[in-house]
């Protein structure tokens, strides 16, 4: 090797850097890591000679002062990491970054930035202004990370200057309100991802609060205190595809969803929703034309108690995954999903309080391949309840209260042909015996009967000789004392 491509001087006891230190390391082009030291100041000319360096890591030092032109020699620098330094005031001096033509990423997470940033006192205006021509280098991942600081409010003027940043991270600050029009000057920006997680945004997300960046694809507002979303809060975000609102305090949803029918992913988990229906209008009902493009909806860990026939509307042709686990649903009634989209492939009702199902609870879900009913209070299975699910491959009924008298062959009878499960999970139930033919109405590759109370299994319980398709059979943690001769004859013959 003719030269060392990177240098690591982390975790030493340096307090200052001197000008000639790196002068002769002109070949250093990948990384210079000075993190976790005791640096308190950077002098002008400190990085002389490092014209090819692409990443400089100065995180977790004691930098409170950056002398003017400290970074001027880093003409090829693309990433500058300054997080976890006490440089609240000096950080705002735009002169530090005015001569870095290749700069793509500035990371200042945990750098004790001022509570309010405006156009006059912010280096961000300059760091991402046109004097840094990212587009000339065909850059697609320029980003600004301001997470874990003390920002309390946002100013539209410096946000409007971020015309060439693709990702803006404002997570873990103290932002309490997004004033309408805050992002309005970003209509020509190329911002695709905006992170506002773990802030203090509370109450209503007001009309036009996030309108502006029309190129935005992903918006994260997880872990705030939002209770209500105005129907126009996301107005104009025509390219928005992923919306995260996990762990807020949203209690009901009316019409705010309707102008955003281009969404593909919606996360409303861990809120305070008590119903997906509200005065005739629902989260997934009455969608505006054209039909919604949603593919995934997460509603787990809310307070939903009932799923009625009006809960889901038919014009959801693209919805593939619906997650309702860990709510408080007490019953899945007749035609509960009759108006849901026919294309639904995965449905989770895990962790509810469901005791009984209706034979037609899952009507019109002909494309459903996975149904999770585990960790409920099921005491019986109705006859033919999977009759309307000809595509079903995985059925999870574990952690319920099913007994041998409540599970019978008719429960698994298909509509036309014999159902072909890949996986049937009946573990952690209360079954004591398995009678002959109980699993004869369907074929399965993987059958889990572990952790029941099985003491007796009749011959032929898993099918007649030559008929079984089992590849995996789990009977662990039961009460079996002996296995009769030819007990597994059918399975062996099929294999």
């Amino acid at each position: 090797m003719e030269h060392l491509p990177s240098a690591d001087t982390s975790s030493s006891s340096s307090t200052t850097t001197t000008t000639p230190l790196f002068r002769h390391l002109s070949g250093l082009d990948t990384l210079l890591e000075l993190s976790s030291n005791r640096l308190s100041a950077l002098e002008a000319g400190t990085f002389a000679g490092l014209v090819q360096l692409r990443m400089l890591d100065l995180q977790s030092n004691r930098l409170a002062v950056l002398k003017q032109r400290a970074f001027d020699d880093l003409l090829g620098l693309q990433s500058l990491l300054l997080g976890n330094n006490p440089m609240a005031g000096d950080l705002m001096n735009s002169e530090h970054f005015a001569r870095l033509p290749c700069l793509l990423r500035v990371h200042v997470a945990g750098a004790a930035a001022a509570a309010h940033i405006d156009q006059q006192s912010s280096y961000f205006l300059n760091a991402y202004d046109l004097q840094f021509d990212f587009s000339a280098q065909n850059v697609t991942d320029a980003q600004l990370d301001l997470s874990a600081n003390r920002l309390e409010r946002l100013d539209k003027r410096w946000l409007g200057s971020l015309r060439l940043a693709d990702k803006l991270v404002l997570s873990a600050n103290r932002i309490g309100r997004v004033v309408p029009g805050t992002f309005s000057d970003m209509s020509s920006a190329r911002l695709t991802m905006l992170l506002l997680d773990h802030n203090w945004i509370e109450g209503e997300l007001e009309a036009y609060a996030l309108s502006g960046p029309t190129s935005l694809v992903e918006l994260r507002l997880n872990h705030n205190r939002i209770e209500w979303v105005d129907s126009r809060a996301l107005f104009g975000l025509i390219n928005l595809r992923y919306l995260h609102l996990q762990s807020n305090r949203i209690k009901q949803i009316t019409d705010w969803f309707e102008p955003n029918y281009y969404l593909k992913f919606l996360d409303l988990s861990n809120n305070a929703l008590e119903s997906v229906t509200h005065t005739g209008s629902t989260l997934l009902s009455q969608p505006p034309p054209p039909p919604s493009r949603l593919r995934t909806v997460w509603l787990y860990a809310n307070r939903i108690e009932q799923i009625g026939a009006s809960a889901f509307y038919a014009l959801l042709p693209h919805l593939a995954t619906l997650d309702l686990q860990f709510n408080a649903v007490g019953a899945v009634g007749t035609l509960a999903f009759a108006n849901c989209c026919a294309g639904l492939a995965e449905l989770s009702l895990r962790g509810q309080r469901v005791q009984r199902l209706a034979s037609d609870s899952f009507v019109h879900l002909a494309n459903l391949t996975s149904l999770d009913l585990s960790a409920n209070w099921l005491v019986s299975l109705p006859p033919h309840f999977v009759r309307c699910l000809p595509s079903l491959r995985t059925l999870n009924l574990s952690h319920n209260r099913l007994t041998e008298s409540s599970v019978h062959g008719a429960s698994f009878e298909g509509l036309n042909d014999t159902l072909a499960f890949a996986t049937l999970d009946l573990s952690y139930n209360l079954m004591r015996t398995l009678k002959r033919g109980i699993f004869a109405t369907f074929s399965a590759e993987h059958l889990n009967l572990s952790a029941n109370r099985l003491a007796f299994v009749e011959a032929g319980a898993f099918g007649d000789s030559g008929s079984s398709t089992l590849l995996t059979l789990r009977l662990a943690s039961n009460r079996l004392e002996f296995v009769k001769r030819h007990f597994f004859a059918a399975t062996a013959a099929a294999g």
Side-chain angles (χ1 to χ4, degrees):
M1 297 179 66
E2 296 182 357
H3 64 83
L4 187 67
S6 65
D8 185 345
T9 59
S10 62
S11 299
S12 70
S13 57
S14 301
T15 57
T16 60
T17 58
T18 56
T19 301
L21 183 60
F22 306 109
R23 182 179 296 277
H24 301 296
L25 297 178
S26 58
L28 196 70
D29 62 0
T30 303
L31 168 67
L32 174 58
E33 183 175 358
L34 289 163
S35 62
S36 300
N37 280 283
R38 302 176 184 177
L39 297 173
S40 58
L42 293 178
E43 303 289 337
T46 295
F47 302 105
L50 301 181
V51 294
Q52 299 183 62
L53 187 66
R54 286 175 289 171
M55 178 180 288
L56 175 59
D57 187 350
L58 291 164
Q59 298 180 100
S60 301
N61 276 280
R62 301 175 182 177
L63 292 172
V65 177
L66 300 178
K67 296 296 179 66
Q68 288 191 8
R69 312 190 70 170
F71 301 115
D72 282 10
D73 298 294
L74 301 171
L75 301 179
L77 193 67
Q78 297 179 8
S79 296
L80 178 58
L81 283 65
L82 290 165
N84 295 316
N85 279 287
M87 47 199 306
D90 193 68
L91 185 62
M92 304 305 163
N93 191 338
S94 62
E95 291 299 319
H96 298 318
F97 311 97
R99 296 176 178 83
L100 299 178
C102 298
L103 189 63
L104 309 179
R105 180 188 180 200
V106 179
H107 178 89
V108 292
H116 175 51
I117 298 177
D118 58 29
Q119 185 180 25
Q120 288 73 33
S121 65
S122 173
Y123 81 80
F124 307 114
L125 172 65
N126 298 283
Y128 287 88
D129 202 1
L130 286 176
Q131 59 182 299
F132 294 88
D133 191 0
F134 299 148
S135 59
Q137 302 179 34
N138 195 30
V139 174
T140 59
D141 60 351
Q143 60 178 295
L144 175 59
D145 188 343
L146 276 167
S147 60
N149 279 286
R150 301 174 185 173
L151 296 174
E152 296 179 357
R153 52 196 174 116
L154 302 173
D155 192 291
K156 64 181 296 184
R157 292 171 295 178
W158 71 266
L159 285 169
S161 70
L162 305 180
R163 293 187 293 275
L164 299 175
D166 292 292
K167 180 178 180 180
L168 176 58
V169 184
L170 296 168
S171 306
N173 277 282
R174 302 177 182 180
I175 300 167
R177 180 190 177 202
V178 181
V179 178
T182 296
F183 296 93
S184 60
D185 291 341
M186 300 189 75
S187 57
S188 61
R190 70 182 191 187
L191 189 69
T192 59
M193 183 180 292
L194 174 60
L195 278 64
L196 284 161
D197 307 85
H198 294 277
N199 274 282
W200 297 354
I201 302 171
E202 62 182 354
E204 180 181 0
L205 196 61
E206 301 169 71
Y208 309 109
L210 292 154
S211 298
T214 56
S215 60
L216 195 65
V217 174
E218 183 168 357
L219 173 60
R220 298 188 184 183
L221 288 159
N222 299 329
H223 297 278
N224 280 280
R225 305 169 185 175
I226 300 169
E227 298 179 5
W228 180 265
V229 181
D230 188 275
S231 62
R232 297 160 294 174
L234 310 176
F235 183 81
L237 303 185
I238 58 175
N239 288 300
L240 189 64
R241 299 294 182 268
Y242 305 92
L243 178 59
H244 304 257
L245 283 161
Q246 179 188 138
S247 299
N248 279 280
R249 300 175 180 177
I250 299 172
K251 296 181 179 179
Q252 56 183 243
I253 301 169
T254 53
D255 58 352
W256 66 267
F257 170 76
E258 296 183 0
N260 303 286
Y261 49 78
Y262 289 106
L263 281 176
K264 291 183 178 180
F265 174 88
L266 177 61
D267 183 359
L268 280 164
S269 56
N270 198 27
N271 274 277
L273 293 172
E274 296 180 357
S275 174
V276 290
T277 305
H278 177 74
T279 61
S281 181
T282 72
L283 168 63
L284 303 179
S285 72
Q286 309 298 333
S292 169
R293 298 183 182 182
L294 271 171
R295 290 190 57 82
T296 302
V297 175
W298 289 355
L299 294 171
Y300 64 80
N302 276 277
R303 303 173 186 174
I304 300 169
E305 297 182 357
Q306 184 176 3
I307 300 175
S310 63
F312 302 98
Y313 194 77
L315 295 180
L316 290 165
H318 303 288
L319 189 64
T321 301
L322 178 58
D323 191 341
L324 286 160
Q325 63 182 317
F326 297 111
N327 277 276
V329 177
V332 181
T334 299
L335 305 177
F337 296 91
N339 291 327
C340 194
C341 73
L344 191 65
E346 297 181 15
L347 173 61
S348 178
L349 288 163
R350 181 171 183 252
Q352 313 289 338
R353 302 173 183 174
V354 178
Q355 295 184 16
R356 288 180 173 81
L357 301 170
S359 295
D360 52 0
S361 291
F362 305 107
V363 167
H364 296 176
L365 298 182
N367 290 302
L368 195 70
T369 60
S370 176
L371 176 59
D372 188 349
L373 289 164
S374 62
N376 275 279
W377 298 353
L378 285 171
V379 296
S380 65
L381 296 177
H384 319 300
F385 87 102
V386 294
R387 177 181 297 238
C388 53
L389 304 174
S391 301
L392 193 64
R393 294 283 290 160
T394 300
L395 176 60
N396 191 345
L397 292 164
S398 64
H399 293 274
N400 277 283
R401 302 175 181 180
L402 298 171
T403 66
E404 63 275 11
S405 61
S406 61
V407 178
H408 43 80
S411 299
F412 303 106
E413 286 184 356
L415 179 62
N416 295 314
D417 300 325
T418 299
L419 283 175
F421 287 118
T423 301
L424 173 60
D425 193 342
L426 282 162
S427 61
Y428 292 93
N429 276 280
L430 305 176
M431 301 175 69
R432 296 176 183 273
T433 64
L434 293 181
K435 296 182 179 180
R436 180 181 179 85
I438 186 173
F439 299 123
T441 58
F442 67 93
S443 58
E445 296 175 359
H446 308 282
L447 177 59
N448 192 349
L449 290 162
S450 300
N452 276 269
R453 300 177 180 179
L454 291 173
F456 179 72
V457 179
E458 288 187 4
F462 305 109
D464 295 327
S465 179
S467 65
S468 176
T469 60
L470 279 175
L471 300 177
T472 302
L473 176 60
R474 299 180 184 275
L475 289 164
S477 302
N478 278 284
R479 299 177 181 178
L480 293 172
E481 295 183 1
F482 63 92
V483 178
K484 289 185 177 182
R485 186 179 180 183
H486 305 309
F487 181 80
F488 299 107
T491 303

